[in-house]
Amino acid sequence: MVFRTLVVALALLFAAPASALACPVCGLAGPGNNGWAYLAMTLMLSALPVGILGGVLFWVYRRTKEAEEAAEAEQSRRASAAPTRRQAGVEAVR
Amino acid sequence: MPMALVGEPPKRRAAVPSGVLGMLLFVAAEVMFFAGLISAFTITRAGAPPLAWSLPGGVVLPAVETAFNSIVLMMSGVVLVVAHWRLRRGEDAKAARALLAATILGAAFVLLQGREWWGLLSRGVTMQTSTLGAFFYLIVGTHALHAACAIVGLGVAWWRLRRGALPAGFFYTAETFWYFVVAIWPVIYFRVYF
Amino acid sequence: MSAHAASHAEHGHHEQGFVRKYLLSTDHKVIGLQYLFTGMLMALIGGFTVYVFRMQLAFPGEEVPLWGRVTAAQYNALVTTHGSVMIFWVAMPVLIAAFGNFLIPLMLGCDDMVFPRLNRLSYQLFLLSALILIASFFVPGGPFGGAWTAYPPLSADPAYNATPWGATLWLIAVALEFVAFLLGGINFITTAMNSRAPGMKMFDVPIVIWMIVLASLVFMASVGPLIAGAIMLLFDQRFGTGFFNPATGGDPVLWQHLFWFFGHPEVYVVLLPALGIVAEVMTTFSRKKLFAYRTVIFTAIATSIISFFVWAHHQFVAGIDPRMAGLFTVTTLIISVPIAEMMFIYIATLYGGSIRFTTPMLWALAFIAEFLIGGVTGIYLGAAGSDVYFHDTYFVLAHFHYTFFPIAFIATFAGLTYWFPKMFGRMMDERLGKIHFWGTIIAFNVIFIPLFLTGAGGDHRRIFDYSLFPELAGLQGLRVLATIGLLVLIAFQPIFIYNFINSMFRGKVAGANPWRANTLEWAAPSPPPHGNFPEMPVVYRGPYEYSVEGRDEDYWPQHVPPDDPKRPAEQVA
């Protein structure tokens, strides 16, 4: 039952949207032929930021993680080699 | 691991140079700027009445001549990659030559585009006479402005490299911006000229 | 050289010192305070304009004290100025730029931004944009009268908006301001990536910094199309092009497409920092660890992503494809899920804490309560069907103000009262703070609850004089009530201003850490000197270790080394 309702609703949504135009005045002007362009450009603009920034941030994240792992490996090596230099490390940072 | 954390705090470090990261973020914003222009162009073109979408006096946008200009620009991008490799290998003199070549090719692109504008303007194509013309000048002009700024950056990088005082961060930052200028052009070319 | 000339030269030198220190400074704290004070001054303009046009709506055609009779054209200009000033010159500079500049280097434990000169340029551009906007009050025709959304053809053609110069100056000011925040945003993100204190991992960064960085990312990714549209509109206004003019093959609806692509993410650009401020204040005064720190961050990231997929809900009645309206209804309702989740997390943080009702805490609690009303009423507007009825009524306006007033004022007051000791080294007066709080909150609800009712009753929002609509006459009482609420709200603000200025010079001296809080900015002296920290801090744990078992103190600052190396932070927490 739920499935059938869903099918009917989707069919209505995609088959007969022209009569459901929300703007009563726009009906007078007739449906514009750039509807598809609005839809396509809307999807493009919406998806682009996620793609670009996602890409940049993923790249930065990977490089950060690599650097952190390398530093940790370096640290544990140094910590096991010379545990007495603990205080010296703090001084160096200062 | 916690022991190491206590003993020897990790140093402040940058996984990506600040200049490059800043420029990448700026480029992301710029891509969205051009995406806005392209989307405006596409929507207006799809919605315009057939006769309204043309240049006055039967003038057609010079797609063939611009194809040549585009090749010049692409070559500039390739030569800059060569400059990058040479710089990484420490061959400063060779890198400077490649960098200069990339800069000159880029400047040639802007000048050739300017000549094309001159021809169109002399045939009466202005921003006011048609919406297609307005979009053409807006989008191509914005790109040319970006190209000009990037060329200045590359020129400064070349000057500093020749004097042996080029910080790597400066070069990578200018390089990133030029790749953006080169890479966005084919999108503009195929969208606007056809 | 005569003595006179010498003293003159000395005077000149002194002047330069002042200019260097306060006007040309690259210090992030000075720039943050510059943004803060500029934003507060602009808020006075925004507040004055709303006073004038609300008086006109309540008592149409009568003389407004301090202004005179309001004409229809003046009404348009006042509404436009109120909207654009409050969003672009108050909410943005104070929430992102002021708090971002002041807090990011302090909370990350570094001495300054990564690009300090870019930061100064950002403020100078912002100041220039504010001056251009103020200049537009004095040009022929007066300030822009085409609403803050600037829809063409109203905004494109001086024949319609009657403000030929105001419109152009407005556009230039807005575009400049966006460039300023673009530069600021790049700085914030790069600093947060590259300048964290040693030991501070991504998940040791305080929530408010995460939020400001995410907001900057959203801003940067969304502002491009609007700048493109603004340039096109500028050409239409000044150079006779026809980008938005149907007569020459242009498309006026295109502006809405470009504007709202920025316009809706903008809501989250200001909301996220506000949520961050509230998180900091709440954990400090609940003396309890923030509930689900990582979930807050992932929720904020999800919100940022979804915020790019909701903007067409502003165009439900603009003739968009109904299939698109269906899609955007769904995404709009979905975005309320992460926000609701965040509200629950904040309430869960309060649960079981030992809550201190200081002034900042009251503001933070009020933020949750008031913003919830704004969020819930948004559901009616996000659904395309009900929006057709509510569109452009006072219901939309009341909903909008129930989201933006908590963001731009309640959260800002929470942040200001919380970080005031850090900014100026002195405490604000608690009693005056509480009087101001209750006066503002009660008056705020008195303004906007009646406007929900008038909106549902059919009040269209772009009407200059309702006495021309006899069928809406029954709502006049509610309109007057809202205006009285506004007058009360305005009357309570001088208390804050007095408290702010008086405490700056005569407040009780605050120590480095008056609230006994954990984050790094409290490790610096108050106010922090140039360079922030006497010695650069090292981070050992997350920012919200309050009431940790087995410790005498109920807080555990990030920079304090673990007492016993055998019991490091991870094991205790």
Side-chain angles (χ1 to χ4, degrees):
Chain A
M1 190 57 209
V2 174
F3 179 72
R4 216 182 303 163
T5 319
L6 205 66
V7 168
V8 172
L10 281 178
L12 276 176
L13 182 64
F14 284 96
S19 56
L21 265 176
C23 161
V25 189
C26 307
L28 297 176
N33 47 352
N34 60 350
W36 69 267
Y38 268 110
L39 193 60
M41 291 300 111
T42 300
L43 293 178
M44 182 193 86
L45 279 187
S46 295
L48 253 181
V50 179
I52 303 171
L53 286 181
V56 170
L57 292 184
F58 180 72
W59 180 66
V60 169
Y61 170 77
R62 238 186 34 192
R63 293 205 46 160
T64 311
K65 220 174 138 188
E66 278 168 15
E68 260 175 24
E69 273 165 14
E72 275 178 16
E74 165 91 346
Q75 242 177 62
S76 50
R77 192 177 56 74
R78 278 212 259 155
S80 57
T84 47
R85 281 175 56 203
R86 188 181 295 159
Q87 209 54 42
V90 177
E91 290 301 325
V93 169
R94 285 173 191 168
Chain B
M1 205 52 247
M3 279 298 289
L5 192 72
V6 175
E8 210 166 326
K11 295 197 179 64
R12 222 178 273 262
R13 86 189 83 78
V16 178
S18 295
V20 174
L21 181 60
M23 183 49 81
L24 275 176
L25 293 167
F26 182 68
V27 163
E30 288 277 22
V31 169
M32 288 313 293
F33 171 71
F34 278 100
L37 287 176
I38 298 273
S39 106
F41 179 88
T42 307
I43 287 169
T44 313
R45 178 178 172 162
L51 286 176
W53 200 254
S54 59
L55 298 176
V59 179
V60 185
L61 287 176
V64 181
E65 289 90 326
T66 312
F68 174 73
N69 304 352
S70 311
I71 291 169
V72 172
L73 184 67
M74 296 301 122
M75 271 166 57
S76 163
V78 174
V79 173
L80 192 61
V81 176
V82 174
H84 179 98
W85 285 342
R86 288 179 175 172
L87 206 63
R88 288 286 286 268
R89 268 188 265 132
E91 303 167 347
D92 277 12
K94 279 183 171 178
R97 247 175 286 146
L99 186 52
L100 183 65
T103 314
I104 289 173
L105 283 171
F109 167 78
V110 174
L111 291 177
L112 287 169
Q113 289 290 105
R115 204 186 61 167
E116 186 188 298
W117 276 37
W118 186 253
L120 284 170
L121 283 169
S122 64
R123 282 188 286 170
V125 179
T126 64
M127 286 193 95
Q128 286 80 18
T129 45
S130 69
T131 305
L132 172 57
F135 266 115
F136 170 78
Y137 285 116
L138 178 68
I139 298 178
V140 176
T142 313
H143 180 266
L145 206 63
H146 282 79
C149 293
I151 288 164
V152 171
L154 287 181
V156 172
W158 171 74
W159 180 252
R160 291 172 110 177
L161 178 59
R162 225 178 50 133
R163 296 177 45 181
L166 176 64
F170 184 89
F171 175 71
Y172 294 144
T173 309
E175 193 192 10
T176 311
F177 194 58
W178 184 247
Y179 289 147
F180 157 71
V181 170
V182 172
I184 199 93
W185 175 251
V187 180
I188 294 173
Y189 175 66
F190 286 110
R191 187 68 274 219
V192 175
Y193 282 81
F194 294 97
Chain C
M1 189 192 272
S2 72
H4 176 76
S7 81
H8 188 78
E10 204 176 287
H11 184 69
H13 180 76
H14 178 76
E15 286 266 307
Q16 194 193 25
F18 177 82
V19 167
R20 277 269 165 84
K21 189 166 177 202
Y22 292 106
L23 296 183
L24 296 177
S25 171
T26 54
D27 187 62
H28 71 99
K29 298 179 293 295
V30 175
I31 293 172
L33 293 181
Q34 282 172 335
Y35 267 115
L36 179 68
F37 288 126
T38 316
M40 283 165 75
L41 287 176
M42 294 304 277
L44 297 181
I45 297 177
F48 180 70
T49 51
V50 68
Y51 152 76
V52 177
F53 73 73
R54 269 319 305 180
M55 288 299 278
Q56 155 67 20
L57 289 173
F59 312 107
E62 288 180 32
E63 293 264 332
V64 177
L66 300 176
W67 178 271
R69 213 169 291 269
V70 183
T71 66
Q74 281 176 349
Y75 178 86
N76 282 350
L78 288 167
V79 172
T80 307
T81 307
H82 170 71
S84 22
V85 163
M86 286 299 195
I87 292 172
F88 296 136
W89 281 277
V90 177
M92 298 268 294
V94 172
L95 276 168
I96 301 193
F99 284 116
N101 269 310
F102 189 82
L103 294 178
I104 287 178
L106 278 172
M107 289 184 124
L108 295 176
C110 60
D111 52 353
D112 207 333
M113 290 284 179
V114 169
F115 309 115
R117 274 177 300 171
L118 203 63
N119 210 10
R120 184 180 62 189
L121 179 66
S122 153
Y123 174 72
Q124 286 165 342
L125 285 177
F126 171 75
L127 184 66
L128 184 65
S129 78
L131 292 177
I132 289 175
L133 188 84
I134 292 171
S136 77
F137 299 159
F138 305 105
V139 294
F144 182 43
W148 79 277
T149 52
Y151 282 6
L154 183 62
S155 58
D157 194 338
Y160 300 135
N161 59 39
T163 53
W165 289 101
T168 301
L169 288 178
W170 182 90
L171 260 182
I172 294 172
V174 169
L176 265 182
E177 202 238 9
F178 289 161
V179 174
F181 286 131
L182 197 61
L183 298 180
I186 288 173
N187 224 336
F188 293 168
I189 299 162
T190 315
T191 306
M193 283 306 304
N194 282 353
S195 293
R196 295 192 305 278
M200 186 181 258
K201 301 222 175 85
M202 290 313 273
F203 288 115
D204 295 331
V205 175
I207 291 285
V208 68
I209 305 298
W210 269 98
M211 294 292 194
I212 291 174
V213 166
L214 282 172
S216 303
L217 280 171
V218 172
F219 177 80
M220 283 182 21
S222 64
V223 77
L226 179 58
I227 293 184
I231 292 173
M232 287 158 69
L233 191 55
L234 192 69
F235 276 64
D236 270 15
Q237 284 176 355
R238 296 257 72 99
F239 303 117
T241 55
F243 290 116
F244 300 116
N245 182 359
T248 60
D251 187 347
V253 182
L254 177 62
W255 169 263
Q256 298 184 29
H257 177 77
L258 298 173
F259 182 85
W260 287 117
F261 179 75
F262 165 77
H264 203 82
E266 163 74 7
V267 174
Y268 298 94
V269 169
V270 287
L271 170 62
L272 291 177
L275 283 168
I277 290 168
V278 170
E280 299 298 328
V281 173
M282 276 203 162
T283 43
T284 304
F285 295 113
S286 303
R287 312 310 295 171
K288 187 163 164 266
K289 196 170 178 159
L290 178 69
F291 185 84
Y293 168 87
R294 286 192 187 211
T295 312
V296 175
I297 290 165
F298 292 130
T299 311
I301 292 173
T303 311
S304 317
I305 292 172
I306 305 172
S307 75
F308 285 103
F309 294 89
V310 298
W311 50 282
H313 66 217
H314 291 273
Q315 293 166 267
F316 282 157
V317 299
I320 60 168
D321 191 322
R323 277 166 294 203
M324 215 156 93
L327 283 179
F328 278 91
T329 297
V330 174
T331 54
T332 305
L333 299 188
I334 284 177
I335 202 167
S336 59
V337 174
I339 300 295
E341 189 180 323
M342 234 163 324
M343 296 287 137
F344 281 124
I345 287 175
Y346 287 179
I347 294 168
T349 303
L350 295 174
Y351 180 77
S354 48
I355 297 171
R356 308 216 165 145
F357 288 105
T358 55
T359 312
M361 185 62 168
L362 287 176
W363 287 112
L365 294 171
F367 176 87
I368 302 292
E370 304 292 351
F371 188 81
L372 269 180
I373 300 178
V376 169
T377 50
I379 306 278
Y380 299 95
L381 303 170
S386 50
D387 182 64
V388 172
Y389 175 73
F390 283 124
H391 191 88
D392 258 348
T393 65
Y394 268 83
F395 189 90
V396 176
L397 185 141
H399 154 74
F400 174 86
H401 284 83
Y402 260 102
T403 55
F404 256 73
F405 189 87
I407 291 170
F409 290 97
I410 298 183
T412 299
F413 282 136
L416 271 183
T417 46
Y418 180 64
W419 280 294
F420 186 91
K422 189 49 62 185
M423 288 173 176
F424 303 106
R426 287 170 188 274
M427 305 298 287
M428 281 180 95
D429 189 89
E430 278 287 309
R431 206 162 61 97
L432 287 178
K434 279 176 183 151
I435 294 171
H436 171 240
F437 167 79
W438 287 109
T440 304
I441 288 296
I442 292 170
F444 164 66
N445 288 290
V446 173
I447 301 171
F448 288 106
I449 288 175
L451 294 185
F452 276 123
L453 301 177
T454 62
D459 262 13
H460 190 276
R461 62 192 282 201
R462 299 193 205 285
I463 304 291
F464 153 66
D465 183 353
Y466 285 97
S467 57
L468 304 172
F469 295 83
E471 66 274 21
L472 295 173
L475 300 171
Q476 187 61 22
L478 289 172
R479 288 179 210 124
V480 174
L481 180 60
T483 301
I484 291 171
L486 176 75
L487 294 178
V488 174
L489 181 85
I490 291 175
F492 269 93
Q493 300 318 305
I495 298 177
F496 177 77
I497 296 172
Y498 168 77
N499 189 5
F500 192 92
I501 294 172
N502 189 48
S503 305
M504 257 168 88
F505 301 106
R506 272 179 291 188
K508 203 177 77 186
V509 174
N513 192 355
W515 307 120
R516 299 150 62 78
N518 279 349
T519 37
L520 283 182
E521 80 271 28
W522 304 107
S526 315
H530 191 75
N532 294 344
F533 298 94
E535 52 187 60
M536 283 303 159
V538 173
V539 167
Y540 297 95
R541 66 186 66 77
Y544 302 114
E545 299 296 328
Y546 289 103
S547 304
V548 175
E549 272 181 54
R551 280 182 57 81
D552 302 336
E553 303 274 7
D554 65 348
Y555 68 115
W556 203 2
Q558 286 188 280
H559 65 284
V560 171
D563 309 328
D564 182 359
K566 284 175 196 147
R567 287 181 71 225
E570 277 85 351
Q571 286 174 19
V572 178

